[in-house]
Amino acid sequence: QSALTQPASVSGSPGQSITISCTGTSSDVGGYNYVSWYQQHPGKAPKVMIYGVSNRPSGVSNRFSGSKSGNTASLTISGLQAEDEADYYCSSYTSSTTYVFGTGTKVTVL
Amino acid sequence: QLQLQESGPGLVKPSETLSLTCIVSGGSISSSDHFWGWIRQPPGKGLEWIGNIYYSGSTYYNPSLKSRVTISVDRSKNQFSLELSSVTPADTAVYYCANYAWGRADYWGQGTLVTVSS
């Protein structure tokens, strides 16, 4: 299975909004609403920020939101803060009853 | 609060079998709502899903690793395990165990670095 495609890097100034895309196929992102987004700071385990395309776990800031259109899912971070600087990965359930991660996006707060 | 902790050798020789265990605390591994999985991350690279196991023992593996991977559950010890055979230096990575519920990895272990080298 091929990794989902994400931009290598996205940057923004504090207070701005940024959007990270995650492109798959009809066999994964487009076919299921089991798309999740993970935040990973250096040396730390990933943390789920969005699940089920657009749901936030308890404790995750409402500055994080998710959506999906066709085979592409998106993560938007609004009101960008220094603490949001991290790597972000999308993940999707697939038609093969497996999971696949995205290639990862490094978010830089300017 | 569910907690997961990986354990196992940090160094494995090429062609040998990598074996890791994930000890689960704060909850039962026999919960019917959850899957238990392994994910790895080579140094400086992205995440790769290895596979999941249901408490009943049903397993699901990454097709690219399927021929070399075995994930098993030990309900008596509340833990699950990963075996990856015929390892090469390309299998060097931080290995994470995780709890999956409703399509998301909710809880993660801290990760353990396994280096494949002679």
Side-chain angles (χ1 to χ4, degrees):
Chain A
Q1 59 191 18
S2 298
L4 308 175
T5 301
Q6 298 180 230
S9 63
V10 173
S11 63
S13 299
Q16 286 187 331
S17 293
I18 62 169
T19 296
I20 303 168
S21 61
C22 169
T23 301
T25 69
S26 58
S27 295
D28 39 62
V29 174
Y32 302 91
N33 285 328
Y34 286 124
V35 176
S36 303
W37 288 90
Y38 300 88
Q39 177 193 66
Q40 186 181 34
H41 286 110
K44 300 295 186 182
K47 172 188 175 183
V48 61
M49 306 301 283
I50 295 287
Y51 69 94
V53 175
S54 59
N55 299 291
R56 271 189 317 274
S58 173
V60 171
S61 171
N62 59 10
R63 297 185 298 104
F64 291 84
S65 62
S67 63
K68 188 181 83 168
S69 177
N71 296 336
T72 298
S74 298
L75 173 72
T76 297
I77 309 174
S78 58
L80 199 61
Q81 298 180 1
E83 66 205 49
D84 300 331
E85 186 161 293
D87 293 326
Y88 291 83
Y89 296 90
C90 61
S91 178
S92 175
Y93 182 71
T94 83
S95 60
S96 302
T97 64
T98 62
Y99 286 86
V100 61
F101 281 100
T103 50
T105 298
K106 182 176 180 61
V107 169
T108 301
V109 181
L110 302 172
Chain B
Q1 178 85 347
L2 205 56
Q3 291 186 317
L4 289 76
Q5 177 68 56
E6 304 91 351
S7 65
L11 181 64
V12 181
K13 289 182 168 55
S15 80
E16 295 189 344
T17 296
L18 179 160
S19 297
L20 295 173
T21 296
C22 182
I23 300 170
V24 178
S25 59
S28 173
I29 203 165
S30 297
S31 171
S32 59
D33 293 334
H34 298 167
F35 283 81
W36 306 93
W38 290 95
I39 297 120
R40 70 180 183 178
Q41 185 171 35
K45 296 188 178 181
L47 301 171
E48 180 180 31
W49 181 78
I50 298 172
N52 282 2
I53 187 166
Y54 195 44
Y55 81 102
S56 63
S58 299
T59 52
Y60 308 87
Y61 298 135
N62 185 324
S64 67
L65 299 170
K66 189 172 184 176
S67 63
R68 299 193 292 131
V69 172
T70 302
I71 298 176
S72 58
V73 165
D74 187 335
R75 286 187 286 277
S76 67
K77 295 182 179 178
N78 217 43
Q79 64 187 38
F80 61 106
S81 300
L82 168 71
E83 288 193 340
L84 181 65
S85 64
S86 304
V87 297
T88 72
D91 294 309
T92 294
V94 174
Y95 285 76
Y96 295 100
C97 60
N99 165 257
Y100 270 81
W102 299 107
R104 68 187 188 271
D106 260 338
Y107 297 94
W108 295 66
Q110 64 184 25
T112 186
L113 174 63
V114 179
T115 301
V116 179
S117 174
S118 55

